[in-house]
Amino acid sequence: MTSSVTVSGPRPLRGRLRLPGEKGMSHRALIFGALARGETRLTSLAPGDDVASTAGALAALGVDVQRDQDTTVVAGRGVDALHESGSDIDCGNSGTTLRMLAGLVAGRPFKTVLTGDESLRTRPMARVVEPLRAMGAVIEGDDGGRRAPLTIQGGELTGRRLTLAQPSGQVKTALVLAGLQAHGTTEIVEPAPSRDHTERMLTALGAPLERVDRQTLRVEHGAPRPFDLELPGDPSSAVFLVVAATITPGSDLVLDDVLLNPGRIEFLEALQRMGADIDVEQHDERLGEPVGTISVRAAPLHGTVIHAHESIIDEIPALAVAGAFADGVTEFRDAAELRVKESDRVLTVVDLLVALGVGAEPRDDGLVVRGGRPGRASLHSHGDHRIALAAATAANAVPGDSTIEGWDAAAVSYPGFLDDLDRLAEPA
Ligand code: S3P
């Protein structure tokens, strides 16, 4: 974690941009392609290390995944064609890879060891291990299976009614992948809605999955069909540019072809409530997902209270930067999950804002930001991609040179972010 970059501001952002492909759908598209029988063709797959971890994990299980420039081809041969990996599968920094793969291999009659980097090995895994055990998988791991590495002896699974301890798109997807391989019916009950790409995509692909009510999803034994998909731009990457344009006077930016899943763009409403000047227009639908344009112009912001449930959690580092530039106090509540992301994001976001010269205090389940006049600073990613990107977003808006230590963490989701900032900041 030694790479350091300098970002000089303020630089207004103008013009149009197509963001990197959506990360959550990219993980799912690779896995669903492997489950299908036939060729799946994906364009604009998310470029970062996390999705490369999923592609690598599938390859280790015997799936032929070929990436050639902007096209990735998955030669799906159905779940029965997966075989035991010759070595432990390294999921890198990607919780999504590890948790989803746990559900996939739980139904296979062989042993798989799933592990990851230091951050991933500290993250909670009981949430996925316990329901998979209830379906019949034998899973061992650090601290009784609460942490990776996880050793999963898969085999015959039985469908069950499973109630999740907390809403989670990753865990729900793991259980859907297990449910598609299980005998009988699997029902997944969530205390509150989590992101729903798995339901939308698999339903569009003809897999036996149905929503019973807002909380309950029903899965039968079966598989999706192969498909072609152009991944839309990632809203969780868009948030950094939307905030950067909002807080940098003179900005006028259009983001084309962005995923507009309602559960993924609630951060836009939070920003609009703070005074942001944003328009959204849907143009397309892909595998049940709305896609369109986000336009944003610079605007003065004021503080607000943001209840950070599931669908807004990844966007908090960027929204906290917006809070730093706003008049008054911005409060993030109900966000205890921040503490178990790629870093303890309550602490790492507070550290970022304090370094920028802004008042920020941690709370057990969130943080309080006292907006002010952020200044040039020496910032640190703490090895967390979204902290690195939030730091660059702030640095682009403040006068003078700021440095970001540990910039290489950004490669997990948005390796080209600084290039995109440079391009948008060029005089027309
Ligand atoms: C994800 C779900 C969310 C999100 C993560 C990706 C997904 O986590 O924070 O970055 O792709 O399903 P949870 O599993 O905690 O919902």
Side-chain angles (χ1 to χ4, degrees):
M1 203 53 51
T2 52
S3 68
S4 168
V5 293
T6 301
V7 177
S8 311
R11 297 189 303 174
L13 304 180
R14 295 200 186 91
R16 309 184 83 97
L17 186 81
R18 211 257 178 220
L19 290 155
E22 205 282 316
K23 191 155 83 77
M25 287 180 75
S26 294
H27 287 288
R28 288 164 174 82
L30 288 167
I31 297 172
F32 301 160
L35 289 183
R37 284 175 196 276
E39 203 171 87
T40 285
R41 296 181 78 79
L42 308 171
T43 46
S44 304
L45 199 69
D49 294 345
D50 268 15
V51 169
S53 291
T54 292
L58 291 171
L61 294 167
V63 183
D64 181 11
V65 183
Q66 300 289 343
R67 204 162 181 166
D68 174 26
Q69 292 184 353
D70 199 33
T71 304
T72 301
V73 178
V74 184
R77 290 191 295 130
V79 77
D80 297 332
L82 299 184
H83 63 57
E84 187 164 344
S85 168
S87 54
D88 296 359
I89 294 182
D90 183 359
C91 302
N93 190 241
S94 176
T96 311
T97 305
L98 199 148
R99 293 187 179 125
M100 289 185 188
L101 259 286
L104 179 67
V105 299
R108 295 297 83 214
F110 50 72
K111 194 185 274 186
T112 305
V113 180
L114 299 174
T115 189
D117 69 8
E118 216 179 306
S119 149
L120 186 51
R121 282 184 275 114
T122 66
R123 295 182 64 188
M125 293 299 153
R127 53 184 67 187
V128 69
V129 165
E130 279 166 13
L132 289 173
R133 280 178 177 156
M135 294 178 78
V138 177
I139 306 180
E140 287 167 17
D142 263 27
D143 195 14
R146 288 188 196 85
R147 313 260 176 252
L150 300 179
T151 301
I152 303 179
Q153 176 57 59
E156 303 252 311
L157 300 178
T158 309
R160 296 248 181 272
R161 186 173 164 85
L162 304 159
T163 301
L164 304 195
Q166 57 278 104
S168 163
Q170 298 168 352
V171 174
K172 177 173 58 184
T173 305
L175 301 179
V176 167
L177 294 170
L180 289 172
Q181 302 175 71
H183 298 290
T185 303
T186 302
E187 283 191 343
I188 303 159
V189 187
E190 289 193 285
S194 63
R195 50 175 75 182
D196 62 359
H197 309 306
T198 295
E199 299 90 298
R200 286 174 186 255
M201 293 170 72
L202 282 177
T203 305
L205 295 171
L209 189 95
E210 66 174 319
R211 184 151 280 292
V212 181
D213 55 42
R214 249 172 78 79
Q215 283 182 291
T216 314
L217 194 62
R218 185 177 291 151
V219 189
E220 306 287 347
H221 187 95
R225 61 167 170 77
F227 57 100
D228 288 355
L229 175 64
E230 179 179 8
L231 276 302
D234 194 330
S236 299
S237 297
V239 67
F240 296 102
L241 289 170
V242 171
V243 170
T246 298
I247 62 178
T248 313
S251 296
D252 188 348
L253 179 64
V254 179
L255 301 173
D256 288 310
D257 210 46
V258 188
L259 173 70
L260 298 179
N261 179 310
R264 294 293 305 284
I265 56 168
E266 282 189 39
F267 71 86
L268 293 174
E269 278 163 41
L271 285 169
Q272 281 164 333
R273 233 171 36 237
M274 294 174 78
D277 182 1
I278 298 170
D279 292 312
V280 179
E281 217 178 306
Q282 184 186 337
H283 298 306
D284 196 7
E285 187 170 308
R286 260 168 252 169
L287 291 190
E289 298 275 9
V291 177
T293 298
I294 299 174
S295 311
V296 51
R297 290 151 298 273
L301 298 179
H302 49 81
T304 189
V305 176
I306 297 177
H307 288 271
H309 50 86
E310 228 319 270
S311 49
I312 220 166
I313 202 90
D314 289 349
E315 289 71 29
I316 290 180
L319 293 176
V321 168
F325 285 77
D327 258 353
V329 176
T330 300
E331 234 184 295
F332 296 91
R333 295 187 190 155
D334 309 323
E337 276 291 304
L338 279 182
R339 295 208 173 259
V340 291
K341 290 295 181 184
E342 286 83 330
S343 64
D344 177 338
R345 286 187 181 155
V346 170
L347 298 184
T348 51
V349 170
V350 166
D351 179 78
L352 173 73
L353 300 185
V354 169
L356 286 160
V358 170
E361 294 138 38
R363 295 277 184 266
D364 285 348
D365 69 339
L367 59 142
V368 176
V369 183
R370 299 182 197 285
R373 282 187 175 273
R376 59 191 282 268
S378 298
L379 305 169
H380 202 295
S381 74
H382 298 282
D384 183 331
H385 57 128
R386 299 205 199 278
I387 303 299
L389 294 162
T393 300
N396 183 73
V398 298
D401 290 352
S402 297
T403 55
I404 306 167
E405 283 297 324
W407 173 254
D408 49 0
V412 159
S413 61
Y414 199 165
F417 186 65
L418 293 181
D419 294 339
D420 283 349
L421 280 184
D422 285 348
R423 203 168 306 135
L424 293 168
E426 267 171 23

